[in-house]
Structures are given as structure tokens and as C-alpha cells.
Amino acid sequence: MEERNKTLGEFIIENQAAFQYSSGELSRIINSIRLAAKVVNYKVNKAGLVDIIGAAGAQNIQGEDQQKLDVYANEIFIQTLINREIVCGIASEENDEYITVEGNDNCHNNKYVVLMDPLDGSSNIDVNVSVGTIFSVYRRISPVGTPVTIEDFLQPGINQVAAGYVIYSTSTMLVYTTGHGVNGFTLNPAIGTFYLSHPNIQFPKNGIIYSVNEGNYVHFPQGVKDYIKYCQLEEDERPYTSRYIGSLVSDIHRNMLKGGIYLYPTSSKSPKGKLRLLYECNPMAFIVEQAGGKASDGLNRIMEIEPKELHERAPFFCGSYNMVEKAEDFMRLAKLSKY
Ligand code: AHM
Ligand code: MG
């Protein structure tokens, strides 16, 4: 069969064979995410048509509970994973605590935990701008057969066995890695099938796009201010183009295809940055690195940070390898000149 016509289902089966001693659990997790993504995609695409936008807890005219789409997406992803009894624990940006998956005696025997941001950038829904789901899979640390513990979730990103995102946009795509490169699948909505459309995605080493919320400029650290000025200089291929959707998945997806850098640094307003290390930075970092890009907190590799708490935040510099390296140079220089 021609590579371009391969479905995600076929791809998952083929790749399971490539994992020696694989029990198929990881494949079933990706399969469940594929299914949940289709359900969420259906709702996201109807968002402007039916009365589903609005505060969670309200009721629509049929008297049904009205849910915000991020609450809905959270429930769909969690229920899909729980119903299939393929993970032992789930942590979500939408939930304060992690979930221990129970249900039958066998559940604790599963090896993997899933961490996710079910609908990132959901404030964009009301204005018809693309949003995304981000997920990350780790092998548990606690012994199989016992309930999960917090340590199963507080693992550095280098321990990820899979990570991916779904982008709900002009077309819906699922992009993921299991540590063997990055592949992108586009949904054919007419028949509800994802097809391999972007095999072996490569992050261009250089780019001309920088993506940052410049409204926060005065609050940024000096190194970031200096780097932004560098991006705007008239020299070589600069000034770079500024592109910022404010939807992490979309901004990084575009930069990964075209070349560019995404920055969400610390600021005097958010001293630890805004993005969540476990649900946003680590999975995106794994994908970006697998595609040949680079992800750091401005000074250190994101995936080597030892997480201390579930919802911890981190500054995030991510994109074309050489661009991130350059931004890090500015950060280091500013730090040195401070002392
Ligand atoms: P969310 O998880 O509450 O949706 O916030 C994350 C989003 C990212 O998608 C996006 O890159 C960033 O927040 C935008 O933040 P800002 O509006 O501060 O630029
Ligand atoms: Mg988010």
C-alpha cells in the first residue's frame, strides 16, 4: 500500500510489531486517544452551531447540562481510557488530583499512566480559532498490581514513552511520537479515519518565525527582551516574522512545519511562566526533540527537569534547534552580566 494511504490504525499495528516484547498496551492507549479525539473533534466542530459554548454548570434550552468544551473533552478522554482499562492512572490539567484507575481487580496491573491537557487554548473556541489536546504516556514506577502513587506522575520528561497532540483546525490532525520520530495523521471527517499525511516530520534547523506574547514584553527577563530585539534586527534573514495564535499546539505545529521558535518565558507577572511542565511542556518537548528541534526553559533542557508537583509551571522555549540555541545564548549572557 502506498505510504500516504496508510491509516493510523494500520500504522499502530505495524509499529507494535517493531517493539520487541510489547504487550500491545501502548498501542491500545494510542487507539483510545484516537477514538476520544474523534468524539471531541465532532463537538468542537459543532461549537458554533449548538448551544454548547458557555459556563459549565448552566443548562441549555432542552434542560440538558451545558458544559464548557474543555470540561467535556476532559470527561471524554478520561472515560475512554478508563472504559478500556488500559491505564493505571490519569492526571489532567483540568483535575486538581490524579485519578487512580480502578474498576476491576486487573486494572492496577496496567503499566502506563497518561497525563494530558484535554483542550488547550480553549478560550479560543468562542472565536473559532484552533485548539488542541496534548497527551503524554509514562511507564509507572510503583509496582504493578498496586495503586498508582504520585511518583508515577512526577517523572522527568525523558521518561516519556509516548507523547502527542491533536489539533482541531481547518483539518484535524493527530501528531505523535513513541521515541522513533514524529508522524502526523489527518482526519478524513467524511469517514472518520485518520490517514498518515505527514510521515517522519522534521523540524527545520532554522526558521524565520518567532511566536511570543509581546504584550508582556516589559515584564520579560532581559535575555528574552534582547532576543526579541535580535529577531527584529534588519540583518541576514531578519527581521523575523511574528506569528502568535495564543494556542500552544497550533503555534508549535506551524513552527514545526515551517521553522520557528515559540517562547513563553517567565515574567514579573508570572514568575514561573504560565505553561504546565507535565501537561504542556514535556509532551511538546518530546515531540519537538524527536523531530530534530530543541526545547528548554531558557537555560536547561525541559525534559530533564525533575517535577515537584502535578501542576507546576515552567518557562518554555521551543522550536528550530538553532533558534532555541540562540535564545539560550541571550539568556546566559543576560544572566552573566547581572552578576
Ligand atoms: P490554557 O491551558 O489555560 O488553555 O493556557 C495555555 C495557553 C496556550 O495554548 C497558549 O500558548 C498560552 O496559553 C497563551 O497564553 P497568553 O494568552 O498569556 O499569551
Ligand atoms: Mg493548557
Side-chain angles (χ1 to χ4, degrees):
M1 181 185 284
E2 203 208 325
E3 188 80 332
R4 289 211 156 261
N5 293 333
K6 197 176 288 175
T7 68
L8 175 54
E10 289 164 338
F11 184 89
I12 290 170
I13 292 167
E14 271 177 34
N15 280 272
Q16 190 189 319
F19 288 115
Q20 223 184 349
Y21 312 121
S22 155
S23 61
E25 266 177 76
L26 186 57
S27 301
R28 284 162 58 217
I29 292 172
I30 306 287
N31 260 326
S32 301
I33 289 169
R34 168 182 69 159
L35 175 63
K38 284 194 251 186
V39 178
V40 171
N41 173 66
Y42 177 71
K43 278 277 187 185
V44 167
N45 283 331
K46 284 203 323 182
L49 289 173
V50 289
D51 197 18
I52 54 173
I53 298 174
Q59 290 202 326
N60 65 17
I61 45 170
Q62 283 86 32
E64 296 160 342
D65 281 341
Q66 210 179 49
Q67 291 179 318
K68 270 171 77 178
L69 274 171
D70 42 9
V71 178
Y72 176 82
N74 195 37
E75 280 172 10
I76 292 293
F77 276 96
I78 290 173
Q79 275 315 317
T80 309
L81 290 166
I82 289 179
N83 289 347
R84 275 159 192 74
E85 296 173 1
I86 44 170
V87 292
C88 50
I90 303 168
S92 163
E93 195 186 287
E94 293 288 329
N95 297 25
D96 292 342
E97 309 289 342
Y98 66 83
I99 297 167
T100 303
V101 178
E102 288 166 351
N104 73 25
D105 293 346
N106 293 329
C107 279
H108 294 315
N109 288 330
N110 292 323
K111 288 197 292 284
Y112 296 107
V113 294
V114 169
L115 289 79
M116 63 176 181
D117 181 354
L119 207 61
D120 182 68
S122 53
S123 61
N124 282 318
I125 290 262
D126 295 7
V127 289
N128 218 350
V129 170
S130 52
V131 288
T133 296
I134 309 170
F135 65 90
S136 178
V137 183
Y138 292 81
R139 203 167 279 120
R140 66 187 299 176
I141 290 174
S142 59
V144 169
T146 63
V148 280
T149 65
I150 186 75
E151 283 71 34
D152 295 321
F153 299 95
L154 298 184
Q155 300 191 51
I158 44 170
N159 289 1
Q160 289 173 101
V161 293
Y165 60 77
V166 185
I167 174 168
Y168 310 96
S169 186
T170 39
S171 56
T172 292
M173 280 188 73
L174 195 155
V175 175
Y176 80 101
T177 181
T178 51
H180 302 274
V182 181
N183 291 285
F185 301 82
T186 303
L187 180 68
N188 178 340
I191 52 173
T193 303
F194 281 102
Y195 287 94
L196 180 61
S197 53
H198 296 66
N200 193 21
I201 298 175
Q202 296 295 316
F203 215 125
K205 290 281 174 234
N206 297 295
I208 56 159
I209 296 172
Y210 73 103
S211 310
V212 61
N213 186 342
E214 263 177 279
N216 294 328
Y217 183 87
V218 295
H219 303 286
F220 284 153
Q222 192 55 44
V224 175
K225 287 181 179 166
D226 294 342
Y227 180 68
I228 291 175
K229 285 295 152 222
Y230 165 86
C231 293
Q232 295 170 343
L233 265 183
E234 200 113 13
E235 213 172 288
D236 303 328
E237 278 194 285
R238 288 167 284 141
Y240 294 153
T241 296
S242 170
R243 288 282 181 275
Y244 189 71
I245 298 168
S247 203
L248 178 71
V249 170
S250 314
D251 277 311
I252 292 184
H253 181 75
R254 181 205 50 237
N255 290 358
M256 187 157 73
L257 297 184
K258 295 197 161 187
I261 183 169
Y262 173 93
L263 309 159
Y264 209 109
T266 58
S267 69
S268 43
K269 283 201 300 189
S270 33
K272 292 182 172 161
K274 175 183 183 188
L275 301 178
R276 315 286 177 137
L277 176 62
L278 296 180
Y279 313 112
E280 291 164 328
C281 305
N282 270 337
M284 295 315 271
F286 189 25
I287 297 162
V288 163
E289 283 195 10
Q290 280 295 314
K294 189 170 167 69
S296 89
D297 67 357
L299 296 168
N300 309 296
R301 188 180 175 202
I302 277 289
M303 290 210 289
E304 287 177 9
I305 298 175
E306 293 283 344
K308 305 268 182 308
E309 47 187 279
L310 275 182
H311 293 279
E312 110 179 38
R313 297 173 195 273
F316 198 42
F317 295 54
C318 149
S320 291
Y321 196 96
N322 293 338
M323 296 180 89
V324 175
E325 205 161 57
K326 191 77 189 169
E328 285 176 333
D329 287 346
F330 278 98
M331 292 299 286
R332 269 190 288 270
L333 208 63
K335 200 173 171 209
L336 279 177
S337 55
K338 208 171 146 190
Y339 299 106

